[in-house]
Amino acid sequence: MIEIHCEGHPSLKLRAKNRHAGNYLSKVRFSFGGSEFQSSLARDLLRVGQAAFLADRAFRRGGNLGQQTRRLTVVLPVEEPERWSGIRDRVVKFAEFASQDEWQFEFTPLRRRAPRRRREIDFTSQNASINLFSNGLDSLCGAAAAFKRGETPVFVSHSPPGIEYVQRKINDLQDALGFAKVEPHFVNVLFRASDRNARGKRSMFPETSRRTRPVLFLSMAGAAALELGVSKIFLNENGVLAINLPFKANQRGANSTRHAHPETLRRFESLLQALWPFDSQPVVRNPFSELTKAEEIRYLRQAAHLAERTITCEYAGQQMAMLRHWLKKRHGPSRQVRECGLCMPCVIRRSAMEIAGVPETAGHYVFDTRRVFNNPGAYRKAPLYRVVKNNPGDIYEFANMIGKMKPSEFVFSYLYDLSLLPCSPEDIGQSTRAAYSLYGRFARELIKYLRG
């Protein structure tokens, strides 16, 4: 049972699902056999990531300035409580940077259990690497980069879409790139939280920002690394969205995600190093940290046609079903629609695909980005439209501003954000120059795309 406390709110007790009831479900599946981690450290790390994610979602963040930071305490049973208590500060620093809340963790004893054995594979002899894999374009490019580096990738994914889907996608990528002889491996974590309380009412997990997603997903990757003894972990994200300078004035603090920020990766790496039982040292890297999305697409080469099958949209779930229904009522095309086309990730994706010369099928997006850029009232009666209609104009203004900045102006405007990038004060000059160059290239790509 996980106990979660948030200042100013009633406490919660959450239970894993069994046949009768529970608040969350967690299952693991390996392509090489087995349905649970054998390492107690791996099981505990996954528990920590899941508990932080549940705590983040359980208490709504305040909407007013000064009310967005929450004080959260998680009381979590783990199999090695003394070890976790000794590195509590690293867990806290990791969670606090990711969600920008104040955290405390208390670890209580949990009875150890002996998992069922599975087929053993010597991953250390295969130059293996752990690669987080979503259904996104960055993940697909990251998989291509792993094959190009000559590694045997272990793809760690979250359900849905499920392990078979990921396997098919990777197999198609291998065939297109000519790496069919490489035998990748797959680890899938099914983790779902039910928002119904004991009375069946949908009242739990009201917070939608999900700033602790990197805590959850990196804990999955770290658990796989601890289980298999693989010291290299890659989280693949283009540098622009990894650094995530604010495109709009209100996109700061808790309104901004740090899912792939360099400091997020460093803090998780520090946590993993404190847990690491092997002779090697774990590293956590983003190979695309200095590339735009258009630049990373080049890794796909002759597999670029697979890019269209990825999903980048932040509204690809329930909202997309609503948009398809709206299109169908208007007798418009709805069968091929997969993404909205106007959320910030969609705008950046569409720009990157066009700059990289990768065509997309007509009807893939609900909204025409350029049409909205030139006529913000184009879809005024469409659902979701009022939320996303200003994005093309906002990001164009940002790109136009960046394109006109001198290096000194760039530093002055984003001094705090840039101070978080280097791993040491000595590296701040190099990291600032790299960020200035990265955002300058991104600005030129985006302006070129929106101007048509």
Side-chain angles (χ1 to χ4, degrees), residues 336-401:
Q336 294 181 347
V337 166
R338 304 188 69 187
E339 304 182 81
C340 78
L342 279 184
C343 66
M344 284 297 188
C346 272
V347 175
I348 294 172
R349 171 198 169 99
R350 298 189 75 169
S351 167
M353 293 285 274
E354 180 158 313
I355 295 299
V358 182
E360 296 190 87
T361 305
H364 180 96
Y365 300 98
V366 176
F367 304 116
D368 185 321
T369 309
R370 285 202 193 102
R371 181 184 175 192
V372 173
F373 175 66
N374 293 307
N375 178 17
Y379 300 90
R380 61 182 180 276
K381 294 183 179 181
L384 189 69
Y385 185 65
R386 65 179 181 82
V387 178
V388 295
K389 66 177 182 178
N390 294 326
N391 286 343
D394 288 341
I395 200 169
Y396 178 83
E397 288 183 14
F398 170 82
N400 201 38
M401 177 184 66

Side-chain angles (χ1 to χ4, degrees), residues 63-75:
N64 298 326
L65 189 65
Q67 297 180 344
Q68 295 185 332
T69 298
R70 301 160 297 177
R71 291 176 175 84
L72 299 160
T73 299
V74 177
V75 182

Side-chain angles (χ1 to χ4, degrees), residues 34-234:
S35 58
E36 57 185 332
F37 290 114
Q38 296 181 34
S39 163
S40 60
L41 284 175
R43 294 195 294 269
D44 279 349
L45 179 56
L46 186 60
R47 290 183 183 111
V48 169
Q50 292 175 341
F53 185 74
L54 290 170
D56 176 28
R57 291 195 58 195
F59 301 101
R60 192 184 299 278
R61 197 186 297 274
N64 298 326
L65 189 65
Q67 297 180 344
Q68 295 185 332
T69 298
R70 301 160 297 177
R71 291 176 175 84
L72 299 160
T73 299
V74 177
V75 182
L76 177 66
V78 292
E79 295 177 59
E80 300 195 29
E82 292 184 3
R83 187 158 190 171
W84 283 96
S85 295
I87 60 171
R88 189 196 326 264
D89 61 327
R90 302 196 190 203
V91 180
V92 167
K93 288 179 180 179
F94 176 40
E96 287 188 341
F97 187 83
S99 78
Q100 303 181 67
D101 294 298
E102 295 180 14
W103 289 82
Q104 289 296 324
F105 287 84
E106 297 176 16
F107 300 103
T108 60
L110 177 68
R111 183 173 63 87
R112 289 197 185 192
R113 52 191 172 81
R116 289 172 290 182
R117 304 295 294 178
R118 55 168 167 72
R119 181 165 65 98
E120 295 294 336
I121 299 176
D122 182 9
F123 286 92
T124 57
S125 66
Q126 301 184 43
N127 185 28
S129 64
I130 303 291
N131 294 263
L132 275 165
F133 191 87
S134 67
N135 198 22
L137 179 53
D138 298 88
S139 287
L140 188 69
C141 295
F147 288 124
K148 186 176 180 180
R149 291 192 298 265
E151 297 166 355
T152 299
V154 181
F155 294 105
V156 178
S157 60
H158 175 264
S159 286
I163 196 168
E164 287 85 4
Y165 178 88
V166 174
Q167 285 178 307
R168 289 195 299 271
K169 206 159 194 176
I170 293 299
N171 290 339
D172 290 345
L173 179 67
Q174 288 180 263
D175 291 341
L177 293 177
F179 290 105
K181 292 183 179 180
V182 179
E183 184 181 356
H185 304 282
F186 302 87
V187 180
N188 183 262
V189 179
L190 169 62
F191 179 64
R192 290 177 180 166
S194 171
D195 61 357
R196 295 186 183 274
N197 62 16
R199 298 178 180 178
K201 185 179 179 181
R202 292 186 180 275
S203 62
M204 301 184 71
F205 308 118
E207 177 58 34
T208 59
S209 63
R210 305 188 185 192
R211 293 291 175 249
T212 51
R213 279 181 293 186
V215 181
L216 173 63
F217 294 131
L218 284 169
S219 75
M220 290 163 40
L226 286 165
E227 176 78 0
L228 306 175
V230 177
S231 60
K232 292 182 292 187
I233 296 178
F234 294 101

